[in-house]
Structure formats: structure tokens, C-alpha cells
Amino acid sequence: MKIDLTEDVPPSEASGWPARTRRLLEEVRGLCATWLHEPLRACLGDFDRRLYDKSDRTRSHVDQQRYLATRQTLLQGRQVFEERFVASIDRTFAQIGAAAPSTANKPGLTLSLLDAVEHELTAALDQLVARNEARNGPLLVELSYRLAVLVAAPPLEGERLPLGPQAMATAFRDASAALSLPSEHDVLLLQSLESTLVSGLAGLYDIVNRHLLAEGILPRLRTFPMARAPVRKQPPLSLETATPPGSASPPGKTPAPGALNTLREPLIRRRHAGPTHSDAGLVAKEEEWRAALAALQQRPSLIPGHVAGTPAGAASLRQALLGCLNVAGTASSFVTAPRVRLGDEQDDILELVARLLQPLAAAMRPAGKARALLGDLQLPLLRLALADPGFFEQEHPAQQLLGTFADAARDWIEDSDSEADRGVVSALNQLVDRAIWEPPTAALYTALQGQLDAYLAQLQRKAQLAERRHLEAMQGHDRLEQARRRAALLMAERKDSTRPESGLRVLVDRAWTDVLALTLLRHGEQSDAFASRLLITDQLCGKRPVSNQPALRHGLETGLQQIGMPAEESAELAQWLFAGDTDPAPHGPSTTSLAMRLKHRLSETTGADTSRRDEDETDPRVREALQQLRQKPAGDWFEFAATQGAPIRRRKLAWYAPHADRCLLLNRRGQPAEDITLPQLAQKLVSGMARPCAAVQPPSLALAWRAMTDALRQP
């Protein structure tokens, strides 16, 4: 569903926007719609699980029926909920810059004195808005100012701020109203929304802010941190596992500005406690280690034990850098000149960068393209970290880019040597090339982040389109199979068991079964067109007398042509039918010729129902797993164990046939992946070859920080 940008907006306001403003608003709306897709699906999946748990635990038969009825309503209205939610957000963009809407007559926002549950829902919405504003305050301030500058309006607040907390609350009201759920179930749905979508809104705000920042919208805007502890925990950059109580850190920021000093503490203690610690040698100047890094960048093979595209360990990296420093030293006599070494701070920075990249690389496939890309990014990141110690602050653009880069390489590259893989590798290589050859600045990494966000949003949109296309194809195929089964049943009821069946007659019956199925699919079983086809069927099977042979012959030929049979072949087949089971004329088509052509055509246009019951389904554990799969709506993700020919794969169960065994498993790009049936998936779950997994994997950088800080805490 897409709403025109000028909807509900006075022409003077919408038409007066420059082309750049309209373009940026459309891009921001596209980013928002793309981002909302997965959280909304996760929200409805979580809501369905809550309803199932409630119905399973309740002792009231009436309540159980209400929960089951809501689950059925949810199954039918999932798409409507998503479309209404996104459409409501679109309306806030359509009305951006307009006067604040009046809430006097706004439906759904008044408090009912008679409905306590409605009162509870409204209070819960108010609390959700307040928590979101507190949690994402700085990001919302940046967003409000940037969007306001874009449309030449005062800072946007409240309902006038697209994507803001109140806009999300209004979208929830609009979308839940389409489902017409009981009020107490609306409260459950709101809880699911907060746990899946609202808790991650900081990511959406950050993406939009970075996109506008990359376009030059208020590049110097900085917000003051809020004096409130963050609700959404971020991976700490210190050696502590969590932010101390009473911290004044803003949401998503580093606990303290001295992140580098905190990280260096254990390294300093180890250095002074070590028996081999020495301060001998001259400390390299900035221009010297810059030149050494540049030389190492051009010749990474100088790193001992270097494997192309693999992040180097700290010891190997230090040895190579020291070698370049002393070869490129300024002393006239290398033999008598003192050795040049890195300063303690520079050496610790090198150690930390290497330690940070090692867990990221370990989480990727060995010798894969993703790990190779990360290895190519190591030296540019080290160069930036040495030049800007603020690199270790979590809000630093390079930190954000590293996290997004690692997630993109992990999620979108399957090492299948496909065209899609090559496209992602090429896009990430462009970012690495810019990081290598351009001066290492925070502005560069901000621009790279905006470029990467835009590319990933484009990949996500393509994946959604591909998924929708394959889903519609499978649903159409399933409807066709059901129509074929119904048509075959009707044909079987009308056949004369005493009539001899020749090979050609069997093929004719199959062809006419397809005609019935196609008519049933297009017009329905109660239509006049289907009744006309059944009359022809009765006449062909001898159940009714033929009163008008030309009309019967014309109907037969027309029906056969609708399933793709050429006019001349359908005429020959009708000629054979009305002439009897022998050749109709000396110069006409032979029975054998007709049979061969018809058999060949049916093998191309019809297919056997691939639905089948596996023998393993007799296993009670498989039956139970299959029943659980059928009870849940499609959309869950599964992880398949590595095999000899393939690494670990993550696949989405996008669809399964309600009355058959077919299912559709898609990869991240929305393309069909595993060719298995639903019972086979249940068998793999029981055997441990597959397991459920989250739709969104944990951020790679958060796990890497945790691994690094845990290692630093070790004695």
C-alpha cells in the first residue's frame, strides 16, 4: 500500500517543496517501510505465541474460544495490519510541515469511563510514548531538526514528527482497529509491539539520521546527552559488564568518554608486570607510523603468516609495522641507529583493533568472502584508530560502519559464487577501496555508512519483492492443485466403468480434467462457465445424450485451446472422438500420432502433485514437530546444519500448503533455497539437522566487543 505524498496536504505546502526535498522524503519513507517489515512480522508472530500460551493455560472454555478466534482473525488479517500500520506512518510524512492536527475529535484517543480495559490500553500507550521519548531522546531531537530543516518548518514535535513515538502509537491504533480485536487482546498486541518493534526503534532513527546527514542536512548538529540511564542496553566498551547505576550516558552511547583509557588499563598492567618490558628505542613520530602503515597497506604480504583477506593477529601486525618503521627510518646509518618503536598508546591501539576484529572474523566462514572483506578493512581501521583515538567511542562513525559492514557481510554473502554474492562483494569492496585511499576521517566513515545503509535498504526491498513473487506463485500453484483434485474427482464420478479405456482416451480425460480445473480456478464451481464444462463432460462420458454435436465439438475445441493446445491439434482430437476409437479417415491423423503429441504436451503443462507423506512421519516425534509447524503461521526462520557440500544456512519458512506437504523455504534474498517438504523439515528438526532461530541475528559488533572485553578481563 502506498499513499501519495500530497494526500491530506494543502497544495500550497506540497507543491512548494523543492525536488530535492520530495526525493529525500520519498527515500526516508522507503527506508522506513523497509525497516518496519521484519519487526511488524515479528510482532504478529509474538502476539500469536502469546495468544496460544493464554489459550493453553486458561481454564475457561469461553476464554479459550476467544483466544482461538483472535488467532484465526490474526491469520487472516496479518497483511492488513502491516499495510495499515505503514499507511499511517505514510500519512505523517504526507502531512509533514502542516499545522498540528486537532485531537478533539480524533477517534480512539478518548478515555472511556465504562471500559476499564480501554482505559488500560490508553494508559499503556501513553507509557509507551513516554518510554520511547526517554530512551531515544537525542536521536529524536536530531530527527526532528533535520526533517524540519528539510521542509522549512519549526522543529517537529509530538504528532507532527514522522516516526516519532506518538506517530507509532497512532499507527498502532489504526492497524489494530482493522483487526477488530477484543480490548484485552489489544493490550497483548501492544505488549508484543513494544518487545519487538519499539525496543529497536533507535536503529531506525539512526538509519534515517545518517541518511539525511550523508545528504548534507545539518552535518554539524550535536545533541546534549540526557541525564537518564538507557533502557535499551548496548554492548559496553569498558571492562564492566553493564553501565553503573546512575550513569548519565545517553542511549546507545559509550559509558564514559575515556573508553580507550578504560580498555587500556589491563594492557598497561600486563606491560608493566611483564619481565621483558623495556622502553628502549625511539618512539615513532606520527609521520613515521603513517608512512609505515601506507607501505604495509600496499604490501600486506609483509605481515608474517599473512593469508589474503584474513585479519592479522596483534603480534603479526606489530612485527610487520615495526619492520616497516625501521626500514623507513630517517637515520642515515641503520646499523648504528637506535631502533624505532611504537609508543605505548599506539601499541595498545594496535592490540585492541586486532583483538576486536578477531571475534568478527571467527564468526564468519573460514576462507569465505566475508572474512576476506573484513581483512581488507583492518589496516584502514587501524590507520583511523591511530589518528583518532575516539574510534573506540561507540558513537564514532567508524564503529557504526564496522558493525553494519560485518552484519552485511555475514547476512548477505553465502559464498555460493552467485551473481547476487558478487554484487554484494563488489559493493562492499567499493567501501573498502574508499577507506584505503581517502584520508582517514570521521566524515569519511559517516559518508560510507550512509552509502552502505542505502545499498542495504535496496537489497531488502528487492528481497521483499522476490519473496512476494515466489509466495504468490506457490499460492497459485496450490490453488491449481486443489482445483485439479476437485476436477479429477468430478471426472471419476462421471466415468462409465463399462466403457473400454484406450491409451488415447486416458490422455483425453487428463486433458479435459485440466480444462475443468482451469475453469474452476478462474470462475468458481457455481459459475455458468463451469456448469457448461460439466455438461460437455457428461456428454463426453456418455452420461447425457448429445443433442447438438457441432456445439459440443466447438465447446470441446475451445476448452482444449484454453489449456494451451493449438487449434489444429484440438480439431484433430475432436475429429477422433466423434469418429470413434479407430482412425477417422485415411488421410487424417493416426491414433498413435495423436497419442504421442498429446502425451508430450501433457507432460509439459501438467505435473504430478508433489505432495507426499514421508515414511519418517510415522515417528511420533516427527508427527508432533509437524503438528507444531502447522499450528504456527509462516514466517519463522530455521538454521540448517553444515553438510559436506554446504555451510550453515539460515532459511525462512515463508509458506506451507494448508492441505498438503509442500512448503517454501527462502534465503535472505527472498529466493527459494532448500527443496524439501514440510514433513522433511519436521524430520530435520527432530534429528538436529535444523533448528529454529531468530529472524534477526545479534549484532556482530556487540558480540565482538563482549568477547574482547571478556578476554581483557582474564588474568
Side-chain angles (χ1 to χ4, degrees):
M1 178 181 293
K2 189 173 182 180
I3 297 178
D4 185 71
L5 191 62
T6 59
E7 179 180 347
D8 298 331
V9 182
S12 59
E13 295 182 18
S15 61
W17 287 342
R20 181 169 180 260
T21 297
R22 293 196 298 270
R23 175 180 64 83
L24 287 178
L25 285 177
E26 188 64 31
E27 290 175 355
V28 170
R29 289 170 57 189
L31 289 173
C32 172
T34 300
W35 188 91
L36 284 173
H37 179 71
E38 282 297 333
L40 286 176
R41 276 203 162 186
C43 164
L44 297 180
D46 183 77
F47 179 46
D48 183 72
R49 284 188 287 272
R50 290 173 187 261
L51 291 171
Y52 177 78
D53 292 340
K54 292 281 187 181
S55 66
D56 190 49
R57 290 197 297 265
T58 186
R59 296 183 179 181
S60 170
H61 176 71
V62 175
D63 288 342
Q64 187 177 50
Q65 290 300 320
R66 284 164 60 87
Y67 286 125
L68 294 177
T70 298
R71 291 189 70 197
Q72 186 64 29
T73 301
L74 178 64
L75 185 63
Q76 298 172 355
R78 294 174 67 93
Q79 184 175 357
V80 176
F81 179 87
E82 294 182 26
E83 290 176 349
R84 288 284 291 271
F85 196 100
V86 175
S88 179
I89 298 298
D90 278 348
R91 280 194 293 273
T92 63
F93 279 101
Q95 298 167 357
I96 189 171
S102 173
T103 59
N105 300 320
K106 192 161 187 177
L109 293 182
T110 58
L111 296 180
S112 172
L113 298 178
L114 301 178
D115 192 345
V117 179
E118 175 67 18
H119 206 125
E120 178 187 355
L121 177 62
T122 304
L125 278 172
D126 292 340
Q127 293 173 7
L128 181 144
V129 170
R131 285 194 296 269
N132 197 2
E133 289 176 341
R135 180 186 297 136
N136 301 313
L139 293 173
L140 285 170
V141 170
E142 291 187 30
L143 183 64
S144 69
Y145 273 85
R146 288 197 168 96
L147 289 176
V149 166
L150 194 60
V151 298
L156 306 176
E157 297 178 350
E159 295 181 4
R160 298 173 63 241
L161 175 61
L163 309 183
Q166 293 190 31
M168 292 293 173
T170 302
F172 169 79
R173 283 281 191 177
D174 292 344
S176 61
L179 298 178
S180 300
L181 302 179
S183 298
E184 61 271 21
H185 295 180
D186 275 334
V187 176
L188 281 179
L189 178 57
L190 180 61
Q191 294 171 359
S192 297
L193 185 83
E194 182 167 14
S195 65
T196 55
L197 185 145
V198 178
S199 62
L201 279 177
L204 174 61
Y205 298 151
D206 191 54
I207 288 173
V208 175
N209 272 317
R210 288 185 179 280
H211 183 72
L212 295 176
L213 179 63
E215 292 287 341
I217 307 297
L218 295 182
R220 297 182 180 275
L221 177 64
R222 294 292 183 271
T223 56
F224 291 101
M226 299 180 65
R228 159 171 259 172
V231 178
R232 182 172 71 90
K233 295 182 180 180
Q234 295 288 338
L237 298 188
S238 67
L239 298 183
E240 302 300 326
T241 57
T243 304
S247 170
S249 303
K253 305 298 182 182
T254 307
L260 175 59
N261 293 333
T262 305
L263 290 170
R264 289 186 62 205
E265 288 177 4
L267 297 178
I268 293 173
R269 288 196 299 268
R270 293 178 188 179
R271 181 165 51 249
H272 288 288
T276 59
H277 175 68
S278 174
D279 292 333
L282 298 176
V283 175
K285 299 178 182 178
E286 182 177 352
E287 59 269 17
E288 291 176 332
W289 56 253
R290 283 183 182 274
L293 273 176
L296 201 58
Q297 184 72 71
Q298 295 177 4
R299 296 184 61 191
S301 59
L302 295 175
I303 302 176
H306 170 75
V307 178
T310 301
S316 300
L317 200 57
R318 182 183 295 109
Q319 181 180 346
L321 190 57
L322 289 175
C324 292
L325 274 172
N326 286 283
V327 170
T330 57
S332 57
S333 174
F334 178 72
V335 177
T336 59
R339 298 282 295 179
V340 178
R341 66 178 179 87
L342 290 172
D344 290 346
E345 181 175 333
Q346 284 74 31
D347 190 77
D348 290 345
I349 289 174
L350 181 147
E351 179 84 20
L352 292 172
V353 170
R355 282 176 175 264
L356 180 60
L357 295 189
Q358 289 301 314
L360 289 175
M364 298 175 178
R365 299 187 184 99
K369 297 175 183 176
R371 184 180 289 192
L373 288 166
L374 184 64
D376 294 339
L377 194 60
Q378 182 178 32
L379 289 176
L381 289 175
L382 176 59
R383 187 174 58 161
L384 176 68
L386 288 170
D388 181 7
F391 167 83
F392 294 97
E393 306 287 342
Q394 190 175 342
E395 71 271 15
H396 196 281
Q399 284 284 338
Q400 303 291 339
L401 177 69
L402 177 59
T404 308
F405 187 95
D407 290 342
R410 175 198 64 191
D411 296 340
W412 292 99
I413 299 177
E414 295 189 339
D415 291 323
S416 59
D417 199 27
S418 63
E419 185 65 30
D421 262 8
R422 288 193 289 271
V424 178
V425 170
S426 175
L428 296 182
N429 266 327
Q430 292 178 11
L431 299 179
V432 174
D433 289 342
R434 287 191 62 185
I436 291 174
W437 300 111
E438 295 187 24
T441 62
L444 168 64
Y445 283 85
T446 298
L448 294 179
Q449 179 70 41
Q451 179 181 342
L452 183 55
D453 285 340
Y455 177 72
L456 293 178
Q458 181 184 11
L459 280 182
Q460 190 66 40
R461 284 195 294 271
K462 289 182 178 178
Q464 291 172 9
L465 291 174
E467 178 179 342
R468 188 177 302 117
R469 184 171 62 251
H470 290 296
L471 184 60
E472 291 173 352
M474 291 298 292
Q475 291 172 339
H477 181 72
D478 185 63
R479 289 193 296 269
L480 178 59
E481 289 298 337
Q482 293 183 35
R484 279 178 176 157
R485 285 193 290 271
R486 177 58 178 162
L489 179 61
L490 293 173
M491 283 290 296
E493 293 174 352
R494 285 161 171 76
K495 281 186 179 180
D496 185 358
S497 59
T498 62
R499 185 186 65 178
E501 293 287 339
S502 65
L504 183 55
R505 172 67 68 176
V506 172
L507 293 175
V508 171
D509 289 345
R510 281 183 55 194
W512 192 250
T513 301
D514 284 347
V515 174
L516 286 178
L518 185 61
T519 307
L520 179 62
L521 193 62
R522 289 181 176 177
H523 303 285
E525 192 165 353
Q526 305 303 322
S527 64
D528 293 339
F530 191 71
S532 175
R533 292 282 189 261
L534 281 182
L535 177 60
I536 296 176
T537 306
D538 289 338
Q539 293 175 346
L540 290 176
C541 295
K543 292 294 184 181
R544 292 190 182 184
V546 179
S547 59
N548 190 342
Q549 191 177 91
L552 174 60
R553 181 167 181 168
H554 175 73
L556 176 65
E557 294 179 12
T558 303
L560 293 173
Q561 290 170 18
Q562 286 183 349
I563 64 170
M565 184 174 294
E568 58 274 10
E569 288 190 16
S570 62
E572 291 175 357
L573 191 59
Q575 182 182 3
W576 175 82
L577 282 173
F578 290 106
D581 291 342
T582 58
D583 289 348
H587 302 291
S590 67
T591 303
T592 304
S593 174
L594 279 174
M596 292 301 295
R597 281 185 287 171
L598 187 57
K599 183 177 181 180
H600 176 70
R601 181 164 300 281
L602 287 175
S603 66
E604 292 178 346
T605 58
T606 64
D609 187 356
T610 57
S611 303
R612 61 184 184 274
R613 299 288 176 181
D614 294 345
E615 294 181 0
D616 292 329
E617 195 180 341
T618 58
D619 187 334
R621 297 177 304 165
V622 177
R623 288 200 304 270
E624 182 181 358
L626 182 60
Q627 184 179 6
Q628 292 176 357
L629 285 174
R630 290 192 178 279
Q631 287 178 347
K632 296 191 296 183
D636 289 349
W637 284 79
F638 298 90
E639 188 174 77
F640 290 82
T643 60
Q644 186 174 5
I648 295 176
R649 291 103 55 210
R650 298 181 75 254
R651 301 292 183 249
K652 178 180 181 180
L653 180 60
W655 174 88
Y656 60 84
H659 308 292
D661 293 341
R662 289 187 307 277
C663 64
L664 178 63
L665 288 168
L666 303 176
N667 61 15
R668 181 67 181 266
R669 299 190 181 96
Q671 300 297 332
E674 309 296 322
D675 185 16
I676 61 176
T677 62
L678 203 63
Q680 288 173 341
L681 175 58
Q683 168 65 24
K684 288 182 178 294
L685 290 171
V686 170
S687 65
M689 295 299 293
R691 62 179 181 181
C693 63
V696 180
Q697 292 183 272
S700 302
L701 189 61
L703 300 178
W705 273 111
R706 186 173 295 113
M708 183 183 73
T709 54
D710 288 347
L712 289 174
R713 281 198 300 268
Q714 297 298 322

